[in-house]
């Protein structure tokens, strides 16, 4: 499975990196990305660099994703699924058995053709449908909209019950997501207790913790404050040791596709907004649960600019929904890998904790 478009295997000569302007470009070279297993020399070097940073007083900067990395999104996903089900019953009179049967067909089609479905931006796939529960739902509903628009017989039951419009199923999904975000703060939509304890410990060790998320900073700050942590908005204090960079636009793709091969998938790493954040922050550690959004670009930057980024450690926060292809990238790396990707099965497995 190669995703959208070919993946080149030989990088061109490096060129200077301009700052992003609007939906500008970030001319990273096309290349085959390699990984390193924890047992290889590259990991030892990076791990020693991490330990050295802690022992000799340099400030370690840790860049964290939020949803799915610091929170468990499974209950939010279940809420959205229940909302969609109830609204289809209420608005169109569909029964639960019919809805489940239709969704099963659509989800199976999406799963069997995962390289063709996902979160799209600028007419290209930014992250695949199997990388995140919300992406799975959105991809399934988008497919149903396409079937409706094409008068595909698989969507006949929706038409017969009056489901109509340009994107009625995706519109319903967006309403479900908004309803989930409007739910009162509780244990099911805020950082997990083990994460709260770990961040306290990181801050006590004078680490710099930067949460970089596509979500609004104020929403994330509210969720941290609910569990007793006090981050600040990066826009208010860009030098704070615990801050939130919201609206990060990790998913936003520039105008020049740059597909890079990661195991069995190709990921477009033309992400000017995220690239700008990474260059300005220059973290020692990057942690995320969605490979395409969180890790693909920093991995490529480490390969391309080893003098700047080669000691940067990458962690894939594994969840029940983590796709096998992403796990395989870390478990079965080529021998000549220039950077390390580790599986983070538990947040407290970070070596600095």
């Amino acid at each position: 499975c190669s995703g959208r478009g070919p993946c080149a295997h030989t990088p061109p000569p490096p060129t200077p990196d301009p700052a992003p302007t609007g939906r500008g470009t970030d001319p990273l070279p096309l290349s085959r990305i390699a990984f390193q297993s924890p047992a290889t020399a590259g990991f030892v070097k990076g791990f020693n660099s991490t330990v050295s940073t802690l022992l000799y007083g340099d400030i370690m900067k840790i860049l964290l994703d939020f949803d799915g990395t610091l929170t468990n999104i499974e209950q939010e996903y279940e809420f959205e699924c229940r909302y969609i089900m109830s609204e289809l019953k209420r608005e169109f009179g569909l029964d639960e058995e019919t809805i489940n049967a239709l969704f099963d067909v659509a989800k199976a089609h999406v799963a069997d053709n995962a390289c063709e479905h996902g979160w799209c931006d600028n007419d290209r796939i930014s992250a695949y449908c199997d990388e995140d529960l919300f992406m799975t739902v959105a991809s399934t509903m988008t497919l149903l909209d396409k079937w409706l628009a094409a008068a595909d017989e698989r969507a006949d039951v929706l038409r017969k019950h009056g489901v109509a419009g340009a994107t009625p199923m995706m519109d319903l999904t967006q309403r479900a997501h908004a309803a989930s975000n409007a739910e009162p703060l509780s244990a099911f939509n805020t950082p997990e207790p083990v994460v709260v304890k770990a961040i306290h410990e990181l801050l006590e060790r004078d680490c710099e913790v930067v949460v970089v998320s596509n979500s609004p900073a104020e929403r994330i700050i509210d969720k941290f404050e609910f569990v007793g942590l006090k981050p600040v908005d990066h826009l208010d204090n860009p030098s704070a040791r615990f801050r939130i960079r919201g609206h990060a636009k990790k998913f936003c793709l520039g105008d020049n596709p740059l597909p890079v091969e990661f195991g069995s998938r190709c990921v477009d790493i033309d992400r000017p907004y995220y690239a700008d954040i990474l260059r300005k922050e220059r973290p020692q550690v990057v942690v995320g649960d969605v490979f395409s959004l969180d890790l693909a670009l920093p991995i490529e930057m480490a390969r391309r600019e080893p003098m700047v980024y080669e000691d940067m450690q990458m962690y894939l926060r594994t969840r029940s929904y983590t796709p096998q292809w992403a796990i395989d990238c870390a478990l079965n790396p080529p021998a000549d890998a220039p950077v390390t990707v580790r599986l983070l099965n538990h947040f407290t497995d970070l070596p600095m904790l």
Side-chain angles (χ1 to χ4, degrees), residues 13 29 46 65 87 103 105 111 129 136 138-140 160 167-168 174 181 218 223 272 311 317 348:
D65 175 53
E87 289 299 286
F103 283 3
V105 171
C129 61
T136 300
S139 298
T140 302
K160 290 176 181 177
T167 56
Q174 291 172 344
N181 285 338
E218 57 270 21
K223 291 189 174 188
D311 290 333
R317 176 65 174 100
T348 51

Side-chain angles (χ1 to χ4, degrees), residues 19-343:
T21 56
R23 296 184 65 82
T25 62
D26 178 26
L28 299 176
L30 307 181
S31 65
R32 171 183 287 273
I33 294 301
F35 296 86
Q36 209 163 47
S37 66
T40 59
F43 170 77
V44 173
K45 177 182 179 183
F47 180 82
N48 286 343
S49 175
T50 297
V51 174
S52 177
T53 299
L54 294 173
L55 290 177
Y56 296 106
D58 295 333
I59 294 177
M60 167 167 284
K61 183 181 291 187
I62 303 169
L63 193 150
L64 303 170
D65 175 53
F66 186 75
D67 293 302
T69 299
L70 307 183
T71 68
N72 186 336
I73 65 171
E74 292 190 18
Q75 291 188 61
E76 292 175 90
Y77 160 78
E78 291 170 0
F79 174 94
E80 294 191 16
C81 289
R82 289 194 301 270
Y83 182 97
I84 291 169
M85 178 74 72
S86 66
E87 289 299 286
L88 287 174
K89 289 180 181 179
R90 184 184 66 82
E91 291 186 29
F92 304 107
L94 283 157
D95 64 86
E96 188 167 331
E97 183 178 354
T98 299
I99 296 169
N100 283 330
L102 176 63
F103 283 3
D104 285 347
V105 171
K107 285 191 290 186
H109 182 90
V110 167
D112 290 343
N113 301 275
C115 292
E116 302 172 9
H117 299 277
W119 189 352
C120 291
D121 184 70
N122 211 3
D123 297 322
R124 309 196 304 276
I125 289 180
S126 180
Y128 290 102
C129 61
D130 56 1
E131 294 189 76
D132 175 273
L133 294 174
F134 297 132
M135 291 178 204
T136 300
V137 172
S139 298
T140 302
M141 301 295 265
T142 298
L143 177 63
L144 289 172
D145 279 335
K146 291 179 179 177
W147 285 353
L148 278 167
D152 190 298
E153 64 180 10
R154 288 170 289 189
D156 281 349
V157 66
L158 294 176
R159 280 189 294 274
K160 290 176 181 177
H161 281 78
V163 180
T167 56
M169 301 303 285
M170 194 59 203
D171 291 345
L172 177 55
T173 304
Q174 291 172 344
R175 282 161 46 198
H177 195 62
S180 177
N181 285 338
E183 283 290 288
L185 296 182
S186 66
F188 96 94
N189 58 12
T190 52
E192 296 175 294
V194 67
V195 169
V196 176
K197 181 179 179 181
I199 290 179
H200 273 298
E201 185 174 342
L202 291 171
L203 294 173
E204 288 173 358
R205 296 186 180 190
D206 291 329
C207 293
E208 186 172 346
V209 178
V210 184
V211 177
V212 178
S213 172
N214 296 313
S215 298
E218 57 270 21
R219 183 173 77 88
I220 297 175
I221 290 172
D222 287 345
K223 291 189 174 188
F224 273 121
E225 290 182 345
F226 181 83
V227 295
L229 289 166
K230 302 291 183 182
V232 301
D233 192 324
H234 171 82
L235 296 178
D236 295 332
N237 185 357
S239 62
R241 284 201 305 112
F242 183 24
R243 53 195 160 85
I244 312 299
R245 297 192 69 137
H247 294 299
K249 300 181 181 179
K250 298 179 191 178
F251 62 90
C252 285
L253 301 177
D255 296 324
N256 296 307
L258 293 170
V260 175
E261 186 174 308
F262 293 90
S264 62
R265 298 284 175 94
C266 277
V267 178
D268 196 323
I269 49 87
D270 178 24
R271 301 169 191 261
Y273 296 104
Y274 190 28
D276 188 51
I277 290 173
L278 289 167
R279 290 193 190 96
K280 289 176 178 176
E281 295 290 351
R282 290 181 63 174
Q284 283 79 36
V285 177
V286 179
V287 185
D289 69 313
V290 178
F291 190 95
S292 296
L293 295 181
D294 302 319
L295 301 180
L297 177 59
I299 290 167
E300 168 65 359
M301 293 174 73
R303 188 214 63 79
R304 181 176 180 265
E305 301 177 68
M307 296 298 292
V308 178
Y309 300 111
E310 71 173 351
D311 290 333
M312 186 163 53
Q313 299 295 292
M314 315 287 178
Y315 293 88
L316 176 64
R317 176 65 174 100
T318 56
R319 295 289 187 177
S320 62
Y321 51 81
T322 304
Q324 189 61 46
W325 67 266
I327 293 173
D328 288 343
C329 284
L331 292 181
N332 304 303
D336 59 348
V339 294
T340 297
V341 176
R342 296 192 69 201
L343 299 180

